[in-house]
Amino acid sequence: MKRPPKDIIASSRTISRRALVVGASQIAIMAVLGWRMRSMQVEHADEFRLLAEENRINIRLLPPSRGLVFDRNGIAIADNEQNYRVVMVREDAGDVGEVLARLTEIVDIAPDDLARAMEEMQRRSPFVPVTIAERLTWEDVAKINLNTPALPGISAEVGQSRVYPWGADLAHVVGYVGPVSDYDLSRIDDQDPLLQIPKFQIGKTGAENKLEHTLRGSAGHRRIEVNAVGRVMRELDRQEGDAGKDVQLTIDNRLQTYAQARLDGESAGVVVIDLENGDLRAIASAPSFDPNLFVRGISVTDWTGLNEDKYRPLSAKAVQGTYPPGSTFKMVTALAAMEDGVLAADETVYCPGYTDVYGIRFHCWKNGGHGNIDLHDSLKQSCDCYYYEIAQRVGIDKMAAMARKLGLGIRHDLPLSAVASGLAPDKEWKSSVRGEDWRIGDTVNASIGQGYVLASPLQLAVMTARIATGHEITPRLVRLIDGVEQPSGRGESLGLNENTLRRVRAAMVDVCNNRRGTAYGTRILTQGYEMAGKSGTSQVRRITAEERAAGVTRNEDLPWERRDHALFVSYAPIENPRYAVAVIVEHGGGGSSAAAPIARDVILQAQYGGAPPLDAYPANQRSAIEQQQRRIEARIPMGAKAQSRA
Amino acid sequence: MSYLAHNTQHVPTGLRKIWYINWPLVMLLSAVASAGFLMLYSVAGGSVTPWMEPQIKRFGLGMVLMFIVAMVPIWFWRNMAFVAYAGSLVLLLGVEFFGEVRMGAQRWIDLKFMVLQPSELTKITVVMFIAAYYDWLPLEKTSRPLWVALPVIFILVPTMLVLKQPDLGTALLLLVGGATVMFLAGVHWAYFATVVSAGIGGVVAVFESRGTSWQLLKDYQYRRIDTFIDPSNDPLGAGYHITQAKIALGSGGWTGRGFMQGTQSRLNFLPEKHTDFIFTTLAEEFGFVGASTLLLLYLLIVVFCIASALGNRDRFAALVTLGIAMTFFLFFAVNMSMVMGLAPVVGVPLPLVSYGGSAMLVLLVAFGLVQSAHVHRPR
């Protein structure tokens, strides 16, 4: 069965020929592969190298430590504290349930936290540390460290968290921080990458919010190498950020704490201004809330409680509450009339207890009237008819201009949430906003700070400061930023006639120091510390003719919401005044009875830099005052009395 | 029985055969395998376990097998071709019914002492059997339709079984490897031209039909094609592996990032870095110089096989040598194209380098056949 040799030769030749074809194609394909290799590894190597670097290198931000906030004496009012937290790495723990059970035996951990941590651990990669509990005590940390061998995967870490040592007393001033939310991100135009860190703390209200950029600092970063599933392999380099700048406020923590304590039980606000430089020494609003609750994440119960409280603890009444200023506005009307020349210095007006203006009767608070009365007595005794008369002479536009000159109806630029602009109404305002013509009755109402007029305690304090000094006092809340003094708030002279101002001041002195003054009961006896002021009682309801005929219902017999607001503005001492104070007690009743005592106590504290001697008070009040002082002393937190860091 | 036609007196006998082994080819195979050991050491993070050590043992075993196969006369292997083919078909059917499912595919059969992947075996037995077929077939019948249809069936049966596992890569190798042997045996050009043009027409039809009422593939299949064409479309999904592989390869540059310094493989961005994608690690760590050196080694292996075949007047010996060279070529060409983004990811290992027992042993046994053909060539 031999195959002929020619067959073999033919076969061999075919195979060889075709083998060359196949071999050539193989080499061609290999050439393509080589060419592709060259193209990727030589020509495009840089692009791929960059992609590889992007793959492996992650940039993690290092949050800077937030700047602190101090009061004028150098006491920290917003501080950073070490926050010890316990974290767990699932893959190191082995049996997660078992380890957590052992942990809860050693340290108290809320079941909620535990459940949340368990859930998060299931969701995240096994090597990601998950926080189980925060704000552990140092003892807890020591216990955990001691039991490390029994707690695989568990470790205690330290971070920073914001703390407000004075709690509710400065809540409305300093505000609070909280984790940045989607809402924050949508609302603020801020490209800072720090905001992208989950749960990064930013200022939410108050100075924390308004001074955010000063306090926040700038991010540092570290470059880390990660693998494909995101595990950190090593740190390549690290650059620390710049810590936030410290801020010193003008607030006097001791006075602030006292004012808050003095307002306890009221729905009220008080502002104290230093006349030398416009420094706000105290801005108290009551009731208040503990800002630390918000930092830790407020519970629904607490939040609902704060929100539904009819005394509105979340509202900073001293700066964002606006009220009809009542009789405290009479200085504005008087100054407007005298500056305009429509009122002679010693001119008297007859007060029969009412004034009829085009058929509408406007009543004086005093039934039967004050008789013939001049400027001095009309302020001292707070006659209404006098102002009804002079307001009609000067007109609303000039009154509104004077109000603005004195700091009413304008928004003072302070780093606080929702600083109110109040309202100094004029004809143009009414026609443009309400679409109605100004009526003479509106002027009459405005003359005694009723009707459309609205002012915040801050504005009333500024007004008092400007009347007391004749200078343009601008309130100032920030004293130092990073050690740099901020501009003083004492401006140029207002250009008011000094004689006119002197008359008004003299009347304000008599309000407190003349036997017939409305606030004689709250006079200060010590020489050189005396106070001048003006009371105000603003109605929040309309008194009908029938009610007036039957006798006006006493405040005590009305439900709280319908009682009058009590206001008082004052400055002290009467010679070379140093402090101006404005007080509002919501629905507190009469200004001289409800608000004036608060103003006096606060201004005395400010002047003495602490508790005043009892002989500053009228003899018949001393025992009551002593009790009150003791009560407040007990209420003021330890340390606020003397502590100082500066 | 064509060897009877030759003078076999000059064929070496006994241990003298050792001198006639194609030693350069042995050197080349060892060099490639050593590159593999090095890379397995690297991807294990500088450790001989879990991959390098077993791989060396298998390579040692494979070399022993290669020499044993080389010592046995090539005509014995030709006579065994049908048995080997039938046996591998039985094993493939066995996989179908008793096989283990691993990584989503049914490819392995447990023989108690080792886990075998019959599809690897088939790559050689098909080539052997088709070569033996044409050795037996009178030359003038080579291009007759009936005699062409027969080997087509021999190739298609195992191909279909492998496709069913599913193992697209192996099916491709079987098909092209078998067809290459038919082509080399001298089957008329026209058959191949017809098949190739029909294939091109099919591909065109598939693309043209997209979005029309007579669409040939399912939408998801088109999306896979899209991902292959441009992996950046889907960087975190199906395109992730190929994108990462290309980054690794490209970032190697001229000289690479250094042994064990490849970030892509060390940080686990590379998929299957010890098996199908091992070439990317090599390319990343040794750069264009390393990658093209490996390609050159492969090229030399293929060239030595072709040279050996051209010098062999025996039909079976030449066909089996060339067929094995083609299969080997397909292995690395498909694997490299795949990791370089020139071909879809079909799961073909890099021969002698990728970690894996069956492929290594089967390849070395195949080179045993090449050596046997070389040693026992008619002189």
Side-chain angles (χ1 to χ4, degrees), chain B residues 4-148:
Chain B
L4 296 180
H6 305 304
N7 187 351
T8 52
Q9 284 171 8
H10 296 294
V11 172
T13 53
L15 283 176
R16 284 201 322 119
K17 287 179 183 177
I18 297 283
W19 298 106
Y20 294 86
I21 292 273
N22 193 345
W23 284 105
L25 189 57
V26 176
M27 298 307 212
L28 287 169
L29 294 175
S30 305
V32 170
S34 304
F37 303 151
L38 206 61
M39 293 329 296
L40 288 174
Y41 179 78
S42 170
V43 294
S47 163
V48 294
T49 54
W51 298 311
M52 181 185 170
E53 197 187 297
Q55 184 83 346
I56 290 177
K57 286 179 181 166
R58 282 177 198 147
F59 180 69
L61 176 63
M63 281 311 242
V64 170
L65 286 177
M66 185 181 91
F67 278 103
I68 291 173
V69 171
M71 293 296 105
V72 176
I74 189 70
W75 48 85
F76 172 79
W77 294 119
R78 181 197 51 198
N79 294 344
M80 292 302 290
F82 177 72
V83 178
Y85 176 76
S88 61
L89 274 193
V90 168
L91 285 174
L92 270 186
L93 284 167
V95 166
E96 189 61 36
F97 295 110
F98 311 109
E100 277 187 46
V101 177
R102 287 191 200 169
M103 296 189 282
Q106 196 169 11
R107 290 182 196 171
W108 286 267
I109 190 160
D110 194 349
L111 295 179
K112 301 307 165 194
F113 65 94
M114 76 172 283
V115 181
L116 189 77
Q117 207 175 335
S119 56
E120 293 293 336
L121 209 55
T122 319
K123 288 170 193 164
I124 303 308
T125 57
V126 167
V127 167
M128 266 174 87
F129 184 53
I130 303 296
Y133 170 83
Y134 281 107
D135 188 55
W136 166 81
L137 191 70
L139 208 56
E140 66 273 15
K141 291 181 181 171
T142 306
S143 290
R144 294 202 186 144
L146 191 68
W147 298 105
V148 172

Side-chain angles (χ1 to χ4, degrees), chain A residues 67-213:
Chain A
L68 305 184
V69 182
F70 297 100
D71 90 329
R72 66 180 304 111
N73 302 314
I75 298 170
I77 55 184
D79 207 347
N80 295 330
E81 70 174 357
Q82 305 283 62
N83 173 13
Y84 296 101
R85 50 178 195 264
V86 52
V87 298
M88 184 170 192
V89 178
R90 173 153 60 94
E91 67 174 3
D92 296 343
D95 184 346
V96 173
E98 171 71 27
V99 173
L100 284 179
R102 269 183 242 147
L103 180 68
T104 41
E105 277 171 34
I106 303 170
V107 187
D108 223 15
I109 293 171
D112 281 1
D113 287 347
L114 219 50
R116 181 195 45 72
M118 287 285 264
E119 188 269 322
E120 192 177 347
M121 258 186 282
Q122 295 309 315
R123 194 159 37 84
R124 311 285 290 265
S125 301
F127 52 84
V128 174
V130 169
T131 303
I132 296 176
E134 289 193 80
R135 287 169 229 286
L136 299 182
T137 62
W138 177 240
E139 286 76 44
D140 286 340
V141 174
K143 276 190 221 161
I144 289 170
N145 286 338
L146 210 62
N147 288 288
T148 308
L151 298 170
I154 297 269
S155 57
E157 285 188 356
V158 59
Q160 277 193 342
S161 80
R162 201 68 156 172
V163 65
Y164 302 103
W166 308 105
D169 286 344
L170 279 139
H172 290 302
V173 178
V174 75
Y176 54 82
V177 296
V180 62
S181 65
D182 291 343
Y183 173 69
D184 294 328
L185 290 176
S186 68
R187 195 170 42 102
I188 51 184
D189 179 31
D190 190 339
Q191 301 302 315
D192 194 335
L194 278 171
L195 297 183
Q196 305 303 327
I197 299 179
K199 293 182 179 175
F200 183 72
Q201 304 264 302
I202 60 163
K204 295 282 190 172
T205 64
E208 288 271 33
N209 177 244
K210 297 290 173 179
L211 301 173
E212 175 68 22
H213 290 283

Side-chain angles (χ1 to χ4, degrees), chain B residues 81 95 106 108 118 131 157 174 199 251 308 346:
Chain B
V95 166
Q106 196 169 11
W108 286 267
V157 168
L174 288 177
S251 65
S308 167
V346 288

Side-chain angles (χ1 to χ4, degrees), chain A residues 3 18 26 36 55 228, chain B residues 135 183 187 244 267 326 340:
Chain A
R3 196 179 288 170
R18 297 219 168 172
Q26 287 173 337
R36 173 77 168 174
N55 256 347
Chain B
D135 188 55
F183 176 76
V187 175
Q244 294 300 341
L267 299 173
M326 185 63 186
M340 284 193 275

